[in-house]
Amino acid sequence: MSRLAVFLLCLSVAHTGGTGVFTPRFPRHRDRGPGQRSKYSYDTKYFTQPVDHFSFTTSDTFDQRYLINSANFGGDGAPIFFYTGNEGDITMFCDNTGFMWDIAPAFKALIVFAEHRYYGESLPYGKDSYKDPAHLGYLTAEQALADFARLITHLKSSVTGAADSPVVAFGGSYGGMLAAWFRMKYPSSVVGALAASAPVWQFEDLTPCGKTYAIITEDFEKGSPGCAKYIHESWDLLTQMGQTAAGRQKLSSVFSLCSTLETAADVDNMGQWLLNTWFNLAMVNYPYPASFLEPLPAWPVKEVCSLITTSSAVLEGIAAGATLYYNYTGQASCLNISQDAVSSLGDLGWGFQACSEMVMPSCMDGVHDMFPPSPWNMTAYIQQCKSTWHVTPRPDWIVQQFGGKNITAASNIIFSNGLLDPWSAGGVMESLSDTLVAITIAEGAHHLDLRSSDPADPPSVVTARQRETDIIKKWLLEYYSSL
């Protein structure tokens, strides 16, 4: 198949010098449906933050949203469990981080979910926040961490009984990266951090760029022997059929697409859509039915691969697998290949972050993975970022700012990773010291350990959560003993 030049961050297809640039997104949570409410109870509050923490030349401010639950809070220095919000509406992270809610009663903890600036309702310049780089330039991990630190100071001074409360940071995915970096940069604000599925090493020269796709390929091969092989074969078949009007018509029919494929470019877009589908499936390969991205059955990779490997023809099997992902409920009359590329605030914000400081190289070779070859091309990446956002990426900045693999001066961080999760490629997989602890979850997909406990949880995640709880207890005992 011709190289798919997929620039997901900007939700467009980019070709530069014949070399594709593919950069995956972290998962986008499904919005609640009309009338749906969270199963958790909390108060919604706002705290005024400076737009720029690191300059004395602007007095602009904005209201940061945070969610707070004090039902279990014991006061008198009982702990605060603080979620470092990622790239999206904070209510979605609240709904999908049941582990904090599960253990809070035993710790008599205050629960706080802090929204990341430029996401959800925490928009520094309102509707103009994404207007241009001048308004958007304050969207950085560093500014977000400073927001969290100031918010914690506010909580300790405003919540009765919290003045001497130790704070434990929690986060998953990009939020997990923030949790780890928060402990590194603001050790006086948090006594420890649980960084779940946090690819803190998914940066230049730290992790092979193709490792995430090798993990996805392994996941699908485990789902059913031969599954990865069929997916690998599908890319050439898509290209071949996409070259003629009759072939495009057949593809549209086989996949029950809402819109007929009219051009070869449409077929390339369809390939991008399928690639996103397989990546997303690997991330949400949970052991029970879940609706994190789409409503899906338990172990969805296994279910999809069963359809693919038992089909009489490759593309029919691929279509059946895609249909399970996008229409498991059977409510859709057709599949919309633009569904995964619907622009949202989260997509736009992360697109800018990836084009400024969060440069996470990604590539595929078609040999060690089941995907069409697409080498990493920094030149093409930079050109695309300049064209889309009018900014030049700083590929080495995160490593300089947060230490890369030289982080042993830090302490009290748990790095948890599921071995089924593609993002574990850039995670800390081995403990670096007695206080920088790596926990691996054999049957775990993307931050499974942060989700609520479930009867279908595999033993590896049950063990991981217990170990995480024990380590948090140790941090708190050390804090109290130092008073």
Side-chain angles (χ1 to χ4, degrees):
M1 181 180 184
S2 60
R3 290 172 181 168
L4 289 174
V6 185
F7 195 75
L8 292 178
L9 301 173
C10 302
L11 306 176
S12 64
V13 178
H15 292 275
T16 307
T19 301
V21 179
F22 176 77
T23 305
R25 299 173 302 193
F26 290 118
R28 296 288 172 265
H29 304 240
R30 285 173 57 84
D31 292 334
R32 293 186 198 136
Q36 287 186 322
R37 300 184 63 181
S38 172
K39 65 179 179 180
Y40 302 116
S41 174
Y42 52 77
D43 293 322
T44 301
K45 296 190 176 184
Y46 300 85
F47 176 62
T48 301
Q49 295 277 13
V51 170
D52 188 357
H53 292 279
F54 308 111
S55 169
F56 296 90
T57 59
T58 177
S59 58
D60 293 352
T61 62
F62 75 101
D63 288 336
Q64 178 187 23
R65 178 171 59 159
Y66 65 97
L67 315 178
I68 185 168
N69 176 289
S70 58
N72 299 298
F73 185 49
D76 296 325
I80 298 172
F81 287 174
F82 187 94
Y83 187 92
T84 51
N86 4 353
E87 72 291 17
D89 189 300
I90 192 60
T91 62
M92 295 299 104
F93 299 111
C94 174
D95 290 346
N96 286 279
T97 312
F99 178 59
M100 284 176 62
W101 296 92
D102 289 348
I103 66 173
F107 285 94
K108 297 183 179 180
L110 180 73
I111 296 176
V112 178
F113 282 81
E115 190 161 68
H116 195 299
R117 57 169 54 206
Y118 285 88
Y119 296 104
E121 295 182 7
S122 301
L123 304 177
Y125 294 105
K127 62 181 178 59
D128 290 331
S129 295
Y130 284 73
K131 182 178 180 180
D132 52 42
H135 290 82
L136 196 51
Y138 303 102
L139 172 52
T140 66
E142 294 84 353
Q143 297 281 6
L145 294 177
D147 289 339
F148 298 152
R150 287 192 77 250
L151 177 56
I152 286 173
T153 299
H154 166 70
L155 291 169
K156 287 191 171 189
S157 65
S158 63
V159 176
T160 302
D164 297 318
S165 292
V167 181
V168 178
F170 294 76
S173 199
Y174 170 51
M177 299 165 78
L178 292 172
W181 293 338
F182 195 27
R183 171 60 184 169
M184 293 177 195
K185 289 291 184 178
Y186 296 89
S188 63
S189 294
V190 291
V191 299
L194 170 54
S197 296
V200 292
W201 289 346
Q202 191 70 40
F203 294 95
E204 192 173 31
D205 299 327
L206 297 184
T207 298
C209 63
K211 195 172 178 181
T212 52
Y213 296 96
I215 292 173
I216 296 170
T217 302
E218 292 172 3
D219 290 347
F220 277 74
E221 193 59 24
K222 290 176 184 175
S224 180
C227 185
K229 174 177 176 290
Y230 285 121
I231 293 175
H232 189 275
E233 292 175 358
S234 71
W235 308 113
D236 282 340
L237 294 175
L238 278 175
T239 296
Q240 292 168 12
M241 293 187 68
Q243 292 174 352
T244 67
R248 292 191 291 270
Q249 182 65 45
K250 183 174 181 181
L251 282 174
S252 303
S253 175
V254 168
F255 281 83
S256 299
L257 300 182
C258 299
S259 300
T260 301
L261 300 170
E262 300 289 350
T263 66
D266 290 341
V267 178
D268 272 351
N269 289 339
M270 180 181 176
Q272 167 188 332
W273 173 74
L274 284 170
L275 201 155
N276 297 349
T277 302
W278 307 143
F279 196 106
N280 289 343
L281 266 167
M283 282 194 289
V284 297
N285 193 24
Y286 297 133
Y288 44 75
S291 298
F292 186 58
L293 300 181
E294 300 284 345
L296 291 170
W299 299 117
V301 168
K302 180 178 180 180
E303 296 296 326
V304 164
C305 281
S306 177
L307 295 172
I308 291 174
T309 56
T310 59
S311 178
S312 59
V314 172
L315 288 181
E316 279 76 1
I318 298 296
T323 299
L324 183 146
Y325 180 77
Y326 290 106
N327 193 26
Y328 180 62
T329 62
Q331 296 178 350
S333 59
C334 58
L335 299 186
N336 180 4
I337 66 172
S338 66
Q339 177 177 348
D340 185 66
V342 174
S343 180
S344 70
L345 189 60
D347 291 320
L348 290 172
W350 186 252
F352 179 82
Q353 287 189 261
C355 274
S356 52
E357 60 180 5
M358 300 296 292
V359 181
M360 306 170 80
S362 177
C363 64
M364 304 166 283
D365 64 12
V367 176
H368 301 93
D369 57 61
M370 63 186 187
F371 299 100
S374 180
W376 174 250
N377 186 328
M378 182 64 78
T379 300
Y381 188 92
I382 290 173
Q383 289 176 349
Q384 182 66 24
C385 288
K386 286 182 175 179
S387 173
T388 304
W389 293 106
H390 309 292
V391 295
T392 300
R394 298 178 185 173
D396 56 355
W397 174 244
I398 288 295
V399 175
Q400 292 176 347
Q401 176 75 324
F402 297 111
K405 292 192 174 183
N406 185 19
I407 58 174
T408 52
S411 65
N412 290 8
I413 304 173
I414 301 168
F415 295 98
S416 64
N417 285 280
L419 299 185
L420 302 180
D421 180 19
W423 292 109
S424 66
V428 179
M429 303 299 287
E430 295 183 359
S431 296
L432 303 177
S433 70
D434 290 342
T435 61
L436 296 178
V437 180
I439 296 177
T440 57
I441 305 166
E443 301 99 338
H446 203 51
H447 50 68
L448 175 62
D449 53 323
L450 283 190
R451 297 176 64 81
S452 296
S453 61
D454 188 278
D457 280 331
S460 60
V461 74
V462 174
T463 300
R465 290 192 188 115
Q466 184 57 57
R467 191 175 175 201
E468 290 163 357
T469 302
D470 291 343
I471 292 172
I472 292 170
K473 286 179 182 177
K474 180 175 180 290
W475 294 340
L476 296 176
L477 287 173
E478 290 173 347
Y479 171 82
Y480 293 127
S481 66
S482 70
L483 296 179

